[in-house]
Amino acid sequence: MTDSKKAEKQSASFAVETQQDRWLKYGANVILSVVVVIALVWAMVYLAQRPGWRTDTTTGGANSLKPQTVALIQNLPEEVRIVGLFTRTEENTERKVQDTSAEVQFQQVADLLQEYQKKSRGKIKVDLIDTVREPSKVDQLFNDVARKYGNDFQKYEEVMKSYGGTLDTITKLANEEVAAVLGVRSKINNEKLALMAQEIYVTLQFFPQIMDTTRRQVKEQLDLKVPDYKGAADHIRGNLEDLNVNLEEIQKRVKGASEDPATPKELKEYVVAAQPRLQKMKETSDELLKKIGGLGEIKHLDELRQYKQNRGSIAVLGPKDLKVIPRNAIFKTAPTGRGGTEETLKPRFAGEQQITTALVALTAKDKKRIAVVRSGGPPATTSIPMAGYDAPMADFGDRLRDYGIEIVEKDISGQWMMQAMQMQQQGMPLPPEPSDEELKGIPWVVLLTQMNPRMMMQNPQAGQLGAKVGEHLKNGGSAMILVDPQVQPLDFLKDWGIQIKPEYVVVHEKVADKGARSDDITNDWQRQQAVFVINEYGDHPLVKPLNSLDGLFVPVIPVDTVPAKGFKTAKILPMPTSLKSWGESDIQSLAQQKEVTFTAKKDDKDVDLPGPLWAGAVSEKEDGGGRLVVLGSRQFATDEFASVQDRAASAVQRSQVLRFPANAELLNNCVFWISHADNLISLSPSALEVPRVSQINDRFLTLLKGGVLIVLLPLGVVAAGTLVYLRRRD
Amino acid sequence: MSTMTQTQSAVEPSKSTGGATVRKTGLLAKAPIIARRELFSYFVSPMAYVAMTLFLLACGFAFWQDFKPGQPALMRHLFDWMLWFLCFVVPMLCMGSISQEWASGTMEMMMTAPVTDSDVVVGKFMGAISFVCVLLAPTLVYVIMMASFSTSHVDLGPIFSGYLGMILAGSLFVAVSLFCSSLTRSQMVAAVSAFAILAVITIIPWLVGAWATLPDFWRVVINQGVYARYADFSKGVIDLGHVTFFVLMTAAFLFFTVKVLESRRWK
């Protein structure tokens, strides 16, 4: 490089930048780096979101699927599709920001479906269709459903393909017949016969028109976005039936004419020739009608169509069948009269319970059934409204049916069967009771009540319940037994490692009846010695999820375990010992609400049973076969106890809040356990009860809120600020 | 709040080592010192006490609604309210962080000081977010009240995730406010513009999402808003995507702020 060039380059490098150059150079640099940063942020957020890693910090997993659901969906044998049919579009705009608004519910369903998809490892595909804004997707779903699940649908399609040929044949035959009648009509002189021929002619002329109308009507139905095959088939059936009526009338007249000696020769020749042609027309029509008659209902589509009336549904599309869950099953409201009405209480979201139950039902090899077995009286879970009878455990039955479990009821004494027959004669429809044979192989829920000796004498069968249960268990069955005080001892239980003590009732020492009455009426109930509110249930998987939920138990008999070879046993429901409790043998005094005290011995004989005591026990064959749960209380399972509403909490929360959620949960869990449906244990939404702010005296509450929240904390800051100001001033 | 006095004293100890070399001693080495000074400056500012008092009063009234017998012992609604309160309080707190430096002329001195622009921005950010934590600290009294008057153990998981969400959202709000403060000499303009940006990314998406029926594309856009992401924290869910969003958005606004400060060298 020459010196002159070097100097030239040097001077160029020291050239002064203009303002414009600087803006261009640095400004472009800034813009570029800002764009890069924005792109990087977007890309990294997108990448971080993709795996869907999220953790639910709530103790009860309120924002995530329960482990039972996750285990179930990850082990699904085949792929399942779940489709939500909801809309964000709110009919009533004032409700938009309320918890019951379409927007909120749509989002809840969307979140839940996403959870299913994320956790299923590809086994579940979900779609959420806004039924108002995405009508084409709804149509597509209907078509998919019809094709996937419709054996009947294929038959409908076959009929729709072939019906045209039949109509053509009938049209052709009708036209030929019209021509034939036309040829003979002019040759008839008899007025009466001429009128008949005219009528036949006119009627037959209508046949091609009827066929055309049928074609048009069918086309209209098939051209719908979701072809209505059933509607089309109904049109064909209706029109062909009309045609047949007319055809039969013509055949009748033609036959009459053929037999009438007064019929002229020309006409007679016609009627003889016409009869087989008319018969062929009828047979052609009958053949198609027979095909249509053999078509079933397209039930799935009909169920799915209900989403409009239900204001939303979730369809769970299994490998071979589908289940449609209506909105009112997903957002459950309290039954009217139990703590509020539908208008005042917020629905409880039971989406997971319903979807998981549907998945179980769709993928299970056989449907779960249980038998509720009793020793007399009307059914325990089935109300008879026409007879004004409310079953004591109707809610229990409804809950299990929600889980897809079928319930049959059996009165072992056979008395109810006789009463039922009388009631049926009076026009009251009653569910049939199963035979002994039908009870084999399904788990039993046994209601063991104290038998009246007189009744026992009248019907000895009533006293055979214990023996029947023993036999059921011996044959490999499973059972849950709910025991009342003073029932007959059940010796066979010892073979399963369980012992009941029905001669005792568990009581606690008397609580002094002084001081102010509590807002919670159950506090008053607990003053009675035989009433227990418990929230510890033991460590067995059956009851562990219930710990910390309140349950009300009265009266309770002690249940214990004894060694038994080949069985795994565990005690559940420890009775609280915060107050001294024991097994009281003086049940008579308790019934008369007299105070009882613990008496260890009298005349050198044991009197009362010292604590600690348990109210239940479970036993399972070590080979994994039969299962048995014995609970020393029957009353806790009745709606009277299990459906008690927490009125204060319900009113404040505007949501159905059970005061003793554990009663229903315990019962459900026991049924799931004896049915070997462990994956359903504690799926129920009420198992997610959260801690609540306890009852606080109004004055203290106002003081606490006003004093701490509004005065103390802000004032503390003002004081600190003033102090700093004064110090800095000095 | 922030004055040259603090910034100057923050950089003074390093002068002995020589300005140009100090810049290379370590990444953001001076940021903690600036942060400490910045935090101190809040405690001597009447505006901070006023903002804190208003914030606590508002939170007190919000908690009043939740703390009723029979109500679930949860703080979800309070956390939701606190986000809205922070939308107003944080711009008030941070409006002078950098704009005051411009207005008082201390920015020119800072240009010659042995601190990088990143030190200044990160230091001021750390100071401000520390003060947000101080602001939130008294609300732990609410947790104690819940725990004391609960029928059973209070679920601490959602409370933890709620506070985490609060701090992450607070960080983003502080970063936005610092950015706005770096753009202008007027504290008022800085506060208003910061509030405007926060409204665009927080309040408007929530309002639109709550009241309008939107097509899917816009629904996705709305779900990128701050509230949609924060809501998971307040209900007890910690989502990696949301954490990443808040952290990176905060970092991005801090980066923009650094770029604004850098621009004074070439403008």
Side-chain angles (χ1 to χ4, degrees), chain A residues 511-663:
Chain A
V511 180
D513 194 3
K514 60 183 178 185
R517 284 179 72 88
S518 166
D519 288 344
D520 187 353
I521 195 165
T522 53
N523 284 347
D524 287 339
W525 295 351
Q526 286 180 81
R527 292 183 204 276
Q528 294 179 42
Q529 286 185 280
V531 177
F532 285 88
V533 172
I534 67 175
N535 54 23
E536 294 289 334
Y537 299 86
D539 291 328
H540 192 273
L542 165 66
V543 288
K544 207 170 180 181
L546 306 180
N547 284 328
S548 88
L549 293 182
D550 278 353
L552 178 66
F553 294 83
V554 55
V556 177
I557 69 159
V559 180
D560 208 348
T561 54
V562 290
K565 203 177 172 188
F567 290 90
K568 288 184 283 186
T569 58
K571 285 187 270 199
I572 57 173
L573 275 69
M575 300 311 289
T577 50
S578 52
L579 288 171
K580 184 183 175 184
S581 59
W582 68 93
E584 177 61 46
S585 58
D586 186 3
I587 298 175
Q588 196 67 30
S589 295
L590 273 176
Q592 293 166 1
Q593 299 200 335
K594 289 181 184 168
E595 184 179 345
V596 289
T597 51
F598 179 68
T599 313
K601 284 187 184 295
K602 194 174 180 184
D603 301 332
D604 242 15
K605 284 182 182 171
D606 291 338
V607 178
D608 292 338
L609 191 67
L613 300 169
W614 282 263
V618 296
S619 178
E620 183 179 12
K621 281 186 180 170
E622 282 179 346
D623 61 11
R627 286 176 167 183
L628 174 66
V629 182
V630 178
L631 298 176
S633 177
R634 185 185 58 84
Q635 290 287 335
F636 90 95
T638 58
D639 299 344
E640 192 185 354
F641 286 65
S643 301
V644 173
Q645 294 289 312
D646 187 337
R647 288 185 178 276
S650 296
V652 172
Q653 223 178 309
R654 293 183 58 245
S655 170
Q656 180 194 358
V657 182
L658 292 176
R659 178 63 186 87
F660 302 107
N663 286 46

